[in-house]
Amino acid sequence: MYTLSNYRFENWARNVRSKPHTYFLPDNTDDVQAIVKRAIAEGRKVRVVGAGHSWSAVAATDDFMVSLDKLNSIAHADKETLQVTVQGGIRLKHLHRLLYQMGLAMQNIGSISEQSIAGAISTGTHGTGLDFGILASQVVALKLVNGVGELVELKAGDADFNAAAVSLGCMGIITEVTLQCMDLYHVEEVATPVLFEDMTSNLLTWAKGAQHPKVWWFPHTKHAMLYSYTKVSDGIRDTFAKQYIDDGVVSKLLFRGFLSMGHISHGFRPLVNRVIGTIFLKKISRVNLNYKVLNVPMPPRHREAEYAFPLDKAPEVLNRLHTLINTQKLKMNFVLEVRFTKADEFLLSACNGQDSCYIGFYYAGEKNWNSYLKLFEEIAMEYSARPHLGKEFTVDAAYLHTVMPGIKQFNALRQTYDPHGVFENGFTQQLF
Ligand SMILES: Cc1cc2nc3c(=O)[nH]c(=O)nc-3n(C[C@H](O)[C@H](O)[C@H](O)COP(=O)(O)OP(=O)(O)OC[C@H]3O[C@@H](n4cnc5c(N)ncnc54)[C@H](O)[C@@H]3O)c2cc1C
């Protein structure tokens, strides 16, 4: 097993850094068990890191950091049940290509696929669609190394499964995940610009009727983009040239360029957004493989908070945010994103017990971020909204205990799986 003593951890957004005492790259499950036992013997803590794509300090540690980057393959595929067992460190983008070769696909995915499978399920990562749960809902079984170094297998329906599948690395190190996949499918994307007021007044009817609905609104513009993604049986209707222009030229060059202009002068931001809006606000229709359409190109580095709101409150909240941004003259420089997720029973999930509308509040740069985040959270708290634990939030444990019905039970179970507190870090200590 490879180890490093001078590793420096930095997350994707570069807002979280730590200096692990030792960084481990285990070759197999025995190595993972040995790391946990060594940590207990030496009185150290262990954090497992995936792709480091969380904005919260959930993966950071100055003690032992474990990466499953070498445990990144498919362990077993059952062509009858369409269930595929993968090692915990596999990156979603790698998994999509392997599934494609077997004629399979994940049922739903988020905006990007840089994450590891275990990292993605552990924070409750979600895509969009009221008939679809968070990514952890696709998990039918998992194996983890608990806080005394034992390998434990849990299946959906087992008593502790709903704690372990979304567990922020606190119940153990997930070494294997079995996913319920489906036959490979194509997705049609239709994007339509509509007036902001029309979007909010028809939001719920539209979201309930669409398979994978998503809204992007560039603050300071009058229009929002409604994206509707639907599984279709016909083949690819997308060109390489179009993908290149949309992903490479428009997203990478133009968007980044305009963002930099906004950085030079804050006063430019509303104008810059209107220019970007004019470029992006056009009707789009294309068909491609599920992951090529549901994923977006990697965005420029930015800050993110995202809260799950009770579904029926979504239009009201969006109108409040619209008013907030305009009356307080917030110089927002990124889209506001709206997505939808079905209720579930995972103890730490933001959608526990309720269909939810996720509203993502994004911002590029440092200036103003903390004060803007606070304003967003003041509104979120009025609606008892629950934060995405892999993104930024400043609400305290008392608030989380009020709005997340499963957190107390999770905390009790966590202590049985991890009696020495070996998987704790500063973030989890604050949370629990
Ligand atoms: C550009 C971008 C776009 C994003 N889009 C979405 C989106 O569409 N939807 C959404 O919901 N989120 C989204 N996210 C957030 C992201 O999906 C989550 O933060 C996710 O948890 C990151 O996965 P990771 O592999 O990087 O895990 P990390 O950030 O490295 O770790 C996250 C947590 O998982 C734990 N963990 C990692 N591996 C294991 C393991 N083997 N066993 C047990 N615990 C483990 C870690 O300890 C930590 O607690 C996005 C993030 C970025 C940067």
Side-chain angles (χ1 to χ4, degrees):
M1 162 171 53
Y2 185 73
T3 58
L4 263 179
S5 56
N6 56 354
Y7 182 77
R8 297 285 178 267
F9 170 71
E10 186 178 62
N11 67 343
W12 174 83
R14 298 191 183 146
N15 64 315
V16 176
R17 293 182 181 85
S18 69
K19 293 181 185 170
H21 174 275
T22 312
Y23 177 83
F24 297 86
L25 269 172
D27 292 313
N28 49 47
T29 306
D30 289 348
D31 285 348
V32 176
Q33 292 180 272
I35 296 164
V36 173
K37 287 176 183 161
R38 180 173 153 192
I40 297 165
E42 295 181 16
R44 294 208 166 270
K45 307 282 185 197
V46 181
R47 259 344 248 171
V48 55
V49 65
H53 273 52
S54 296
W55 277 267
S56 61
V58 68
T61 183
D62 291 335
D63 256 316
F64 287 178
M65 178 172 269
V66 181
S67 161
L68 299 196
D69 274 359
K70 286 166 92 178
L71 303 185
N72 63 1
S73 58
I74 291 194
H76 179 70
D78 185 330
K79 295 238 161 94
E80 293 280 301
T81 59
L82 309 186
Q83 292 182 356
V84 177
T85 302
V86 300
Q87 291 182 299
I90 197 168
R91 300 291 163 104
L92 296 179
K93 59 184 178 185
H94 185 198
L95 175 60
H96 298 324
R97 286 194 290 271
L98 294 175
L99 290 177
Y100 167 74
Q101 285 162 14
M102 294 189 283
L104 297 175
M106 287 181 70
Q107 298 171 38
N108 189 18
I109 55 175
S111 314
I112 61 154
S113 288
E114 298 298 312
Q115 310 95 319
S116 66
I117 184 69
I121 63 167
S122 294
T123 59
T125 293
H126 62 93
T128 187
L130 283 166
D131 290 331
F132 299 86
I134 57 176
L135 266 55
S137 318
Q138 298 171 48
V139 179
V140 292
L142 56 81
K143 284 186 187 162
L144 58 78
V145 174
N146 69 13
V148 290
E150 295 162 347
L151 187 63
V152 179
E153 183 167 6
L154 292 169
K155 292 194 166 58
D158 288 350
D160 303 344
F161 180 81
N162 285 336
V166 182
S167 52
L168 305 174
C170 293
M171 303 260 298
I173 300 182
I174 298 171
T175 54
E176 256 185 33
V177 174
T178 303
L179 294 165
Q180 180 62 57
C181 296
M182 58 187 290
D183 287 324
L184 184 71
Y185 57 94
H186 289 82
V187 170
E188 178 177 41
E189 174 186 47
V190 176
T192 320
V194 296
L195 284 170
F196 184 89
E197 306 81 82
D198 292 344
M199 181 270 288
T200 49
S201 42
N202 298 317
L203 185 70
L204 297 184
T205 316
W206 172 72
K208 285 174 187 167
Q211 231 168 48
H212 300 282
K214 175 179 95 177
V215 181
W216 275 11
W217 174 53
F218 273 102
H220 315 296
T221 66
K222 289 190 174 140
H223 290 84
M225 278 294 261
L226 299 186
Y227 291 89
S228 180
Y229 302 92
T230 313
K231 293 187 175 67
V232 287
S233 49
D234 55 329
I236 294 172
R237 183 159 41 81
D238 202 0
T239 60
F240 177 74
K242 187 176 174 313
Q243 282 174 45
Y244 180 77
I245 290 171
D246 281 356
D247 298 357
V249 180
V250 175
S251 292
K252 293 213 172 80
L253 293 178
L254 277 178
F255 192 32
R256 276 164 215 238
F258 283 124
L259 270 180
S260 327
M261 279 172 63
H263 286 320
I264 297 168
S265 162
H266 260 234
F268 271 149
R269 281 201 173 137
L271 174 66
V272 167
N273 280 21
R274 282 196 281 275
V275 177
I276 296 175
T278 313
I279 295 168
F280 275 87
L281 289 167
K282 56 181 193 224
K283 202 165 167 64
I284 299 170
S285 169
R286 63 176 179 142
V287 176
N288 212 325
L289 287 170
N290 56 89
Y291 60 90
K292 294 203 174 177
V293 177
L294 292 171
N295 276 174
V296 298
M298 271 309 273
R301 247 170 260 286
H302 62 278
R303 309 294 288 268
E304 272 200 19
E306 191 180 35
Y307 275 72
F309 290 82
L311 184 62
D312 59 324
K313 297 292 180 205
E316 188 181 315
V317 175
L318 286 166
N319 284 326
R320 294 270 313 266
L321 288 169
H322 187 270
T323 308
L324 170 80
I325 290 168
N326 288 340
T327 55
Q328 305 262 349
K329 300 198 180 343
L330 306 189
K331 303 285 191 299
M332 300 300 292
N333 58 9
F334 232 88
V335 291
L336 217 88
E337 187 171 44
V338 184
R339 291 180 285 178
F340 304 87
T341 302
K342 187 176 157 182
D344 60 49
E345 295 181 348
F346 299 107
L347 299 183
L348 279 193
S349 166
C351 308
N352 180 298
Q354 63 182 25
D355 287 348
S356 303
C357 172
Y358 273 100
I359 300 183
F361 189 80
Y362 310 156
Y363 186 77
E366 298 293 317
K367 195 172 171 192
N368 295 326
W369 169 242
N370 290 336
S371 55
Y372 287 7
L373 173 59
K374 199 166 174 297
L375 292 170
F376 173 56
E377 287 189 312
E378 276 167 14
I379 292 183
M381 287 169 79
E382 279 182 47
Y383 293 87
S384 299
R386 304 160 177 175
H388 185 314
L389 299 174
K391 301 193 177 180
E392 289 181 67
F393 61 93
T394 65
V395 293
D396 60 16
Y399 174 79
L400 291 175
H401 278 73
T402 321
V403 298
M404 296 179 71
I407 198 166
K408 200 168 164 207
Q409 192 188 344
F410 177 86
N411 197 20
L413 265 173
R414 171 184 82 86
Q415 290 169 48
T416 64
Y417 274 68
D418 181 21
H420 307 291
V422 77
F423 296 127
E424 290 174 357
N425 68 356
F427 177 87
T428 66
Q429 279 162 352
Q430 261 186 334
L431 204 64
F432 302 116

